[in-house]
């Protein structure tokens, strides 16, 4: 398989979604998921316990259609005049209006906000759980006009609990005024009246002032109004808050204010018409008296004159006609308050009046044909009777409207007064705990999957082999070595300064894997130009040095003479596991300040020698290109069975490309879950450009993961006791 074909196959595989792999990733991240879920669950429990309980009070109101009902039988058309249909939606908006809510704001002094000064976030909840809540009731608080609207915050501090004394402080802790419970305290435009408090000495309460509009908006935010069912006229009011007694009182007050304004509004129409009629009664009575006096005077002056039969008939018709016109006048004054002249009812009234006026004109023309004396008597008699009927009619209307006004009860009925539920409606503790637990689980799962999506480290040797590089050994991650490195990073006092795993724990799985590498490499180096092995890698911190020193020890224990050379002249630390000094090493030999006998040092491992890196030179690459390095490699190849050269990462520096020209065999180390396939391929390409053939890869620090198709097996052997 060519390199290009391997890359194409890798790209195709990466585009496939493997559900089994996703499930395996979740198994690998089970501890992260479990930890995050538990933390979120604990946070949800803490939140539900520390959150302030919110209670709910509700009330029920019935809104009936406005109708005259039984009043029609008493007042006739007057009752139907005041009959109006009332929409529940309209009434709901009336309840939310400032006209209704302003009275509640004033009654409960909602423009003043007073709360205990708790520790931020958790203080209030802890105080509530411990039962140590402190309360204060402020009936009046006023600040100077120049401070209005600035949103300033003040504090009340209890100075003497026995005498119930307190002080008001500003934001700079300056004392504004001092006072005691039940007395109005004044100072420099500030007024404060504290009704009562239940608190210890030193307790603090935050107090501030808000505008009436802000208080009304607060009422609207916590007030919910809805109609039960469709067009039932049954309206449910609910109010939420922290104080059970207070929210019940507030909702009762809102309901009562709405009920009273509804009654007042319904009786206002009758009262308005009543005032109109009473204003006209004196003038009508005056006209009646004047007409009667004129008639009597005329009769006395002209002796008694009896009207003819025809004149009496005309008089009756004219009186009835005038009565109808007067009735229409009353109706017009009332209907004009509700409709315009374009309304059909108003037009019908005007048409009826026009017909009556035409009939009146006809009768007047007929009267003109009568003798003068009878004509005058007829006119005066008509005026008396018409004014008399008008006066009687006005008196009747006044009585009718008085009855309407007295009997008005409105079209609103409070079915259920406000009551507060015993259980808090917020927070819903069980729901919060369940949701936060689920949120923690989902976020942790998302984190595990996203981390896997963005982490492109190789976790399967097959991915490396698809690049055309054979994997010579898969070295499991050593727990003992990891603990040693962790202690070194934490700089624990009892940490030993050196540790060679091949010596301290030769049965470790990592060492067993390196023994397998020893066998595989023996056959791979049969056709090599020399016995020099270079070990490199794509990037730092992949365990390259760990592999080099332990593999050297494993080979040396097999009886072969091994020389380990630290060619990382920048950061090499091969001397540390052996407890050697980093002096007179490779760099010293290359610059000619140390002979080869001095540079080669003995180790505690039999048949194994080492050349440390020496002092850090300013020009590592140039030193490695020196002829003395070539001579060193040739000498080592002749005097040792195996020469292992540990080099820095090839993608970081060019040193491995220089050293690789002298090595007969080159191996790269790749770390499980760290180096990506592209990174490994780039390192191989870097070597190929320098004419170096990479034999294969040592897959280091392999871990047991469900998401990896590759695993390793460990077996434990115990010697039998005889």
């Amino acid at each position: 398989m060519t390199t290009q074909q391997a890359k194409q196959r890798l790209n195709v595989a990466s585009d496939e979604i493997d559900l089994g792999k996703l499930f395996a990733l979740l198994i690998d991240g089970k501890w992260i998921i479990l930890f995050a879920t538990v933390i979120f669950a604990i946070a949800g429990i803490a939140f539900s316990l520390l959150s302030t309980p919110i209670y709910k009070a509700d009330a029920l109101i019935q809104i009936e259609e406005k109708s005259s009902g039984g009043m029609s039988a008493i007042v006739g058309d007057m009752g139907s005049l005041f009959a109006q249909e009332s929409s529940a939606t309209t009434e709901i908006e009336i309840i939310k209006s400032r006209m209704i809510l302003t009275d509640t704001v004033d009654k409960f002094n909602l423009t003043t906000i007073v709360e205990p000064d708790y520790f931020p976030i958790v203080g209030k909840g802890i105080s509530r759980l411990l039962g140590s809540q402190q309360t204060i009731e402020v009936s009046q608080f006023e600040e100077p006009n120049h401070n209005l609207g600035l949103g300033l915050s003040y504090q009340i501090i209890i100075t003497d609990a026995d005498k119930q004394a307190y002080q008001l402080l500003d934001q700079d802790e300056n004392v504004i005024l001092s006072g005691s419970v039940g007395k109005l305290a004044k100072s420099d435009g500030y007024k404060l009246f504290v009704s009562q408090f239940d608190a210890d000495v030193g307790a603090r309460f935050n107090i501030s002032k808000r505008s009436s509009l802000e208080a009304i908006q607060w009422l609207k935010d916590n007030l919910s109004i809805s109609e039960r069912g469709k067009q039932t006229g049954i309206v449910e009011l609910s109010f939420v808050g922290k104080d059970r007694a207070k929210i019940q009182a507030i909702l009762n007050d809102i309901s009562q204010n709405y009920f009273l304004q509804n009654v007042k509004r319904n009786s206002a129409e009758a009262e308005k018409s009543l005032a109109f009629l009473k204003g006209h009664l004196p003038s009508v009575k005056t006209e009646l008296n004047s007409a009667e006096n004129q008639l009597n005077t005329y009769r006395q002056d002209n002796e008694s004159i009896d009207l003819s039969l025809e004149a009496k008939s005309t008089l009756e018709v004219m009186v009835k006609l005038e009565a109808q016109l007067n009735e229409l006048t009353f109706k017009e004054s009332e209907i004009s308050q509700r409709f315009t002249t374009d309304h059909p009812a108003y037009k019908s009234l005007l048409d009826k009046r026009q017909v009556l006026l035409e009939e009146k004109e006809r009768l007047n023309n007929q009267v003109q044909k009568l003798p003068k004396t009878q004509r005058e008597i007829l006119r005066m008699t008509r005026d008396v009777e018409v004014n008399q009927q008008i006066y009687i009619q006005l008196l009747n209307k006044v009585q009718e409207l008085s009855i309407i006004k007295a009997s008005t009860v409105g079209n609103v009925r409070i079915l259920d007064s406000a009551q507060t539920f015993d259980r808090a409606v917020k927070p819903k503790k069980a729901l919060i705990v369940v949701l936060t637990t689920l949120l923690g689980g989902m976020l942790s799962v998302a984190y595990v999957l996203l981390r896997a999506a963005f982490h492109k480290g190789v976790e399967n040797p097959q991915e490396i082999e698809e690049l055309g590089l054979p994997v010579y050994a898969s070295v499991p991650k050593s727990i003992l070595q990891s603990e040693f490195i962790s202690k070194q990073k934490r700089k624990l006092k009892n940490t030993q300064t050196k540790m060679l795993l091949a010596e301290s724990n030769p049965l470790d799985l990592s060492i067993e894997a390196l023994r397998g590498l020893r066998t595989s490499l023996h056959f791979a180096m049969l056709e090599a130009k020399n016995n020099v092995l270079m070990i490199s890698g794509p990037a730092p911190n992949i365990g390259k040095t760990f592999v080099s020193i332990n593999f050297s020890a494993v080979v040396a224990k097999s009886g072969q003479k091994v020389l380990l050379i630290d060619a990382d002249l920048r950061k090499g630390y091969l001397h540390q596991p052996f407890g050697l000094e980093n002096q007179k090493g490779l760099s010293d030999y290359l610059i000619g300040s140390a002979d080869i006998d001095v540079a080669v040092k003995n180790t505690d491992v039999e048949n194994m020698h080492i050349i440390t890196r020496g002092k850090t030179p300013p020009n590592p690459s140039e030193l490695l290109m020196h002829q003395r390095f070539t001579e060193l490699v040739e000498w080592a190849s002749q005097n040792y069975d195996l020469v292992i050269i540990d080099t820095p990462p090839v993608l970081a520096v060019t040193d491995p490309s220089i050293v690789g020209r002298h090595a007969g065999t080159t191996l790269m180390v790749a770390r499980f879950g760290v180096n990506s396939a592209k990174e490994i391929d780039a390192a191989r390409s870097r070597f190929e450009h320098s004419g170096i053939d990479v034999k294969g890869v040592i897959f280091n620090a392999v871990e047991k993961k469900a998401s990896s198709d590759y695993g390793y097996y460990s077996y434990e052997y115990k010697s039998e006791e005889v």
Side-chain angles (χ1 to χ4, degrees), residues 56-63 87-89 91-92 95 224-238 251 414-419 421:
K56 176 184 176 182
D58 65 0
L60 210 60
I61 293 178
Q62 180 184 11
I63 301 175
S87 168
T89 304
E91 298 301 318
I92 288 174
I95 298 174
S224 298
I225 309 175
S226 60
E227 184 179 10
R228 281 191 177 182
K230 188 175 182 181
Q231 296 181 347
T232 59
I234 306 297
V235 176
E236 181 180 18
L237 287 75
S238 62
L251 190 57
I414 299 177
L415 300 179
D416 294 332
S417 59
Q419 291 291 330
F421 292 92

Side-chain angles (χ1 to χ4, degrees), residues 487-528:
K487 289 179 180 180
Q488 278 192 324
K489 289 181 178 179
R490 287 181 288 169
K491 297 181 180 180
L492 298 179
K493 293 182 179 180
N494 59 347
T495 304
Q496 53 185 332
T497 57
K498 64 176 184 176
M499 191 192 80
L500 182 62
L501 189 62
E503 285 288 312
S504 60
N505 189 17
L507 296 180
D508 192 281
L509 291 177
S510 301
I511 304 304
E512 291 293 342
L514 292 177
R515 291 192 181 99
L517 174 63
R518 178 184 62 189
T519 304
S520 302
L521 196 61
H522 171 74
F523 296 102
M525 295 183 67
L526 292 177
E527 299 179 359

Side-chain angles (χ1 to χ4, degrees), residues 28-242:
D28 292 335
K30 59 182 179 296
W31 295 115
I32 295 177
I33 297 173
L34 181 61
F35 178 77
T37 303
V38 170
I39 291 297
F40 271 77
I42 293 174
I45 294 173
F47 178 81
S48 61
L49 291 177
L50 296 176
S51 296
T52 303
I54 302 298
Y55 297 94
K56 176 184 176 182
D58 65 0
L60 210 60
I61 293 178
Q62 180 184 11
I63 301 175
E64 301 172 335
E65 290 187 359
K66 288 185 179 180
S67 61
S68 58
M71 291 300 299
S72 298
I74 302 175
V75 299
D77 293 339
M78 289 295 295
S80 62
L81 174 65
F82 301 102
Q84 299 176 5
E85 292 187 358
S86 177
S87 168
T89 304
T90 303
E91 298 301 318
I92 288 174
E93 294 303 319
I94 293 175
I95 298 174
K96 292 181 178 180
S97 66
R98 291 196 295 269
M99 176 182 66
I100 303 297
L101 300 182
T102 299
D103 293 338
T104 303
V105 170
D106 296 337
K107 180 178 179 180
F108 293 93
N109 191 26
L110 298 180
T111 56
T112 301
I113 306 173
V114 184
E115 291 184 347
D117 186 20
Y118 292 115
F119 186 80
I121 302 176
V122 298
K124 189 173 185 179
I126 293 176
S127 177
R128 179 176 51 80
L129 292 176
L130 297 177
S132 59
Q133 288 181 296
Q134 305 187 70
T135 60
I136 190 171
E137 184 176 336
V138 177
S139 300
Q140 181 182 359
F141 174 59
E142 297 179 10
E143 55 184 352
N145 293 331
H146 59 269
N147 287 345
L148 295 176
L150 298 180
L152 299 179
S153 180
Y154 307 89
Q155 278 196 334
I156 299 175
I157 182 171
I158 306 302
T159 56
D160 192 332
D162 295 332
K163 297 181 179 179
Q164 295 188 317
Y166 62 86
Q167 288 181 337
L168 179 65
L169 310 179
D170 62 11
Q171 293 176 325
D172 299 325
E173 296 290 323
N174 299 319
V175 178
I176 298 175
L177 55 80
S178 299
S180 58
V181 171
K183 297 180 181 179
L184 180 64
K186 300 179 182 179
S187 177
D188 298 331
Y190 290 93
K191 294 181 181 179
L192 180 62
F193 187 90
V194 177
S195 304
Q196 62 180 13
F197 67 73
D198 181 11
D200 300 326
V201 175
R204 289 174 175 261
F205 298 88
N206 296 319
I207 181 170
S208 59
K209 197 76 175 175
R210 61 185 172 188
S211 66
S212 179
L213 288 177
E214 291 174 332
I216 291 173
Q217 187 60 46
W218 177 80
L219 283 177
K220 290 181 179 179
D221 294 339
N222 293 280
L223 178 65
S224 298
I225 309 175
S226 60
E227 184 179 10
R228 281 191 177 182
K230 188 175 182 181
Q231 296 181 347
T232 59
I234 306 297
V235 176
E236 181 180 18
L237 287 75
S238 62
F239 194 82
V240 294
K242 297 176 289 186

